[in-house]
Amino acid sequence: MAKGRYVAMQIARNLGLCALSVACLPISLSIMLLAQVAMTLSVTKDPKGPPVTRNKRQVRVLVTGVGMAKGLFLARSLHVGGCSIVAADFEKHGVPVCGRFSKTIDKFYSLRIPTGNHGIGIYIDQVLGIIKEEKIDLWVSCSGVATALEDARLMQRVESETSCKAYQFNEDATFKLDNKYEFMRTTASFGLPVPQWGSLTCPGDAENVVRGPAPQTVGAHPHEFILKNVAMDDRTRGALPLLSADRPKQMGDVLDSLDYHHASWIMQQYIPGSEEYCTQSLVVDGHVRAFLACPSASILMHYEVLDATSPLFQAMLRFTQTYATGMYAKYGHFSGHLSFDFLAFNEPTVAGMKKTLLPIECNPRCHTAVVHFRGHELALTTAYLSLLPPEKGSSPYPYVPDLLVGNNTKESSGYYWIAHDLIVLGVLPLLQFLFGSGSLKDLTQSHFEFWKHITLWKDPTFEWWDPLPWFVLNHIYWPGQLVSASWSGTRWSQINVSTGKMFVM
């Protein structure tokens, strides 16, 4: 009975969100009409620049992952920079992704989701076939975490069988960065600081982690530890309690409950009062060509870029460059998107308090924070095209500095997603107030934040000259995913609007 009631509540939540999308449809259609009128009257125009050519033909770029904000942004940026864009993405449950409707895309391919070894082979062959058929010069991989190693294997096939260049690390480098255990080992091997950590193969390993600090550990001897699955696991992410030797029974119960046969685990130092940051960088042959940093959170839906002159920004940039140089020296090839998560905390020293930075995770893929390069499309295009070898008949690329730094634009001081904020800052605080679980002060603060985002920030999915992806995301893609979840009985705990991902329970 309880299970049936829970399923009914899930379905009611899904249908309620779909109903909200329908209720907002007149507003969205009005905005679409206004955008069309503005384009017809040439108030807004497609900002595409002159074609960039190689061998007397326009450079063709394949961007995968255009259903996510980051992939859509890069497709638009490279279009503005003068490239011809071919795009591809997975379309789960047959629901079209928003990026396929962008006017910046000349041709779109729907990809088969790789499942099992046979499915992985089909996926690699499909993308490789697209690159050959479309005569792609450059592949910009913006795929998600689920296909990290598959894309690395694909990259090796692409560069061995075609003349296409790829922004994607090879399989060994991707594994070293994506695997939390290997990332800690690799970081320490470069002489960079790491939090106290250790791997778990059985409950007894925890004693070694808690009692024995690892080399190059920064900070005082920790009292609490975070438990993480070495691989990406939405079910345990953020759901496991902090572990402490001061609470041996609780720690023992949690460790005994883990599945050690089908999953690998890592314990990592927990630092109370620390600030979390994330970075996004474009690495070309071991050199950081574009970089930015943002305050972070477990599910990041609001982006504000960190000042490039701040000591924290500079420290994260130095860390990233050291890493890129070390990986290039090790593999002889290291070009792709490189993102790190850091903790920053105050540590007492003889001279006083010192801000210390510790890496906690690496994402060897493009980060949504890349949208902060908006306004630098030409320079960003040049940075991407710098991977291509110069050839006769090539048009000169626009000037780009050695390092492109993301910053705020005159138009926006931050980025948000209207579908997320409408629920989290608009509807939920109102319902909590009406049902007595929230105060008038909480409601006022949430709605003030909501209207601040609408008036001063920007939804990166929306562009006046390319509004259709925004409409599709909010009124076709997400309603389609929610209806599909209700039909299949899929239970979810959170939604990341920017990546199109449901966190399945």
Side-chain angles (χ1 to χ4, degrees):
M1 182 68 73
K3 183 179 179 181
R5 185 162 53 246
Y6 183 79
V7 171
M9 289 175 62
Q10 285 272 326
I11 294 175
R13 177 175 63 170
N14 294 341
L15 296 181
L17 291 172
C18 290
L20 183 61
S21 175
V22 173
C24 294
L25 197 54
I27 299 174
S28 297
L29 288 172
S30 299
I31 293 173
M32 291 290 295
L33 178 61
L34 184 61
Q36 184 59 50
V37 170
M39 285 186 286
T40 302
L41 299 177
S42 298
V43 177
T44 59
K45 296 180 180 179
D46 186 339
K48 183 177 182 178
V52 176
T53 61
R54 298 181 80 246
N55 288 332
K56 299 182 180 181
R57 71 177 183 89
Q58 189 174 14
V59 172
R60 291 179 66 77
V61 180
L62 172 65
V63 181
T64 50
V66 293
M68 297 180 279
K70 53 190 177 184
L72 176 60
F73 170 78
L74 288 178
R76 284 169 168 169
S77 296
L78 292 163
H79 164 82
V80 171
C83 299
S84 173
I85 308 300
V86 176
D89 207 343
F90 306 112
E91 294 188 306
K92 193 175 181 182
H93 308 304
V95 181
V97 297
C98 66
R100 75 146 59 212
F101 298 95
S102 172
K103 65 164 55 176
T104 65
I105 292 172
D106 297 320
K107 195 168 185 179
F108 177 86
Y109 289 86
S110 184
L111 300 176
R112 293 185 60 175
I113 299 174
T115 53
N117 291 330
H118 179 64
I120 292 171
I122 293 175
Y123 164 70
I124 290 174
D125 288 341
Q126 184 182 10
V127 178
L128 193 60
I130 294 169
I131 289 173
K132 291 178 179 178
E133 181 180 344
E134 297 292 341
K135 297 180 173 58
I136 298 297
D137 298 296
L138 184 68
W139 171 38
V140 178
S141 172
C142 281
S143 305
V145 61
T147 57
L149 290 178
E150 288 84 349
D151 286 338
R153 294 170 194 163
L154 170 58
M155 168 264 176
Q156 293 169 185
R157 291 268 314 268
V158 167
E159 297 213 337
S160 66
E161 298 181 25
T162 74
S163 61
C164 175
K165 295 296 182 181
Y167 276 103
Q168 171 65 54
F169 305 124
N170 66 29
E171 187 174 359
D172 190 39
T174 300
F175 176 73
K176 288 281 195 297
L177 298 171
D178 199 46
N179 182 284
K180 297 178 180 66
Y181 171 73
E182 292 295 335
F183 170 62
M184 285 290 133
R185 289 185 58 191
T186 304
T187 304
S189 73
F190 290 147
L192 296 167
V194 294
Q196 184 169 331
W197 65 280
S199 63
L200 301 179
T201 57
C202 66
D205 289 341
E207 186 71 17
N208 297 328
V209 181
V210 173
R211 300 301 179 190
Q216 292 144 332
T217 294
V218 174
H221 189 80
H223 296 287
E224 293 183 305
F225 292 83
I226 297 171
L227 189 61
K228 297 179 178 180
N229 193 323
V230 169
M232 178 59 70
D233 182 7
D234 292 340
R235 289 178 172 84
T236 61
R237 182 179 181 180
L240 296 171
L242 293 174
L243 302 182
S244 172
D246 299 332
R247 300 187 296 273
K249 185 178 186 308
Q250 179 237 24
M251 184 167 74
D253 290 343
V254 172
L255 294 174
D256 288 339
S257 69
L258 299 180
D259 179 1
Y260 296 95
H261 297 290
H262 302 97
S264 300
W265 304 89
I266 185 173
M267 285 177 67
Q268 195 175 80
Q269 176 183 358
Y270 171 71
I271 304 171
S274 57
E275 303 164 350
E276 190 170 345
Y277 294 90
C278 62
T279 66
Q280 158 66 20
S281 61
L282 176 69
V283 179
V284 182
D285 290 332
H287 296 283
V288 178
R289 295 297 306 273
F291 182 85
L292 59 80
C294 298
S296 187
S298 58
I299 302 294
L300 187 57
M301 291 303 303
H302 296 139
Y303 286 83
E304 293 182 276
V305 76
L306 197 64
D307 183 1
T309 63
S310 72
L312 270 178
F313 182 100
Q314 294 298 321
M316 287 185 272
L317 174 57
R318 285 194 300 272
F319 179 98
T320 303
Q321 185 59 72
T322 299
Y323 225 104
T325 302
M327 295 295 281
Y328 182 75
K330 184 174 183 178
Y331 293 103
H333 176 288
F334 196 71
S335 298
H337 300 112
L338 186 61
S339 304
F340 294 104
D341 290 339
F342 292 94
L343 292 180
F345 62 99
N346 290 317
E347 186 179 25
T349 65
V350 176
M353 299 300 289
K354 173 189 173 185
K355 184 76 82 173
T356 300
L357 199 66
L358 285 181
I360 53 174
E361 284 187 16
C362 177
N363 298 296
R365 62 191 69 89
C366 190
H367 196 290
T368 306
V370 74
V371 298
H372 268 291
F373 286 119
R374 187 176 184 273
H376 300 284
E377 288 84 358
L378 292 179
L380 190 63
T381 297
T382 304
Y384 274 96
L385 296 182
S386 66
L387 185 61
L388 297 177
E391 292 186 7
K392 292 181 180 180
S394 299
S395 59
Y397 301 152
Y399 169 76
V400 63
D402 290 337
L403 176 66
L404 176 63
V405 175
N407 54 22
N408 293 327
T409 64
K410 294 179 181 178
E411 180 181 331
S412 171
S413 59
Y415 291 90
Y416 78 108
W417 281 261
I418 184 66
H420 174 272
D421 278 18
L422 178 63
I423 304 297
V424 175
L425 297 179
V427 175
L428 288 181
L430 178 61
L431 292 176
Q432 290 166 352
F433 172 72
L434 293 176
F435 287 97
S437 59
S439 66
L440 180 59
K441 180 181 177 182
D442 294 336
L443 175 64
T444 304
Q445 288 178 340
S446 295
H447 281 198
F448 175 79
E449 189 75 10
F450 179 49
W451 287 108
K452 185 184 83 169
H453 290 175
I454 289 178
T455 55
L456 299 178
W457 288 26
K458 178 174 175 55
D459 185 331
T461 312
F462 182 83
E463 292 288 353
W464 283 106
W465 55 274
D466 188 29
L468 193 52
W470 172 82
F471 182 86
V472 171
L473 178 69
N474 297 321
H475 296 289
I476 296 178
Y477 177 81
W478 277 117
Q481 294 296 336
L482 291 166
V483 169
S484 177
S486 298
W487 181 263
S488 63
T490 301
R491 300 188 301 162
W492 55 270
S493 58
Q494 297 179 85
I495 281 177
N496 188 324
V497 177
S498 70
T499 61
K501 182 178 180 180
M502 280 184 175
F503 291 84
V504 179
M505 299 170 63

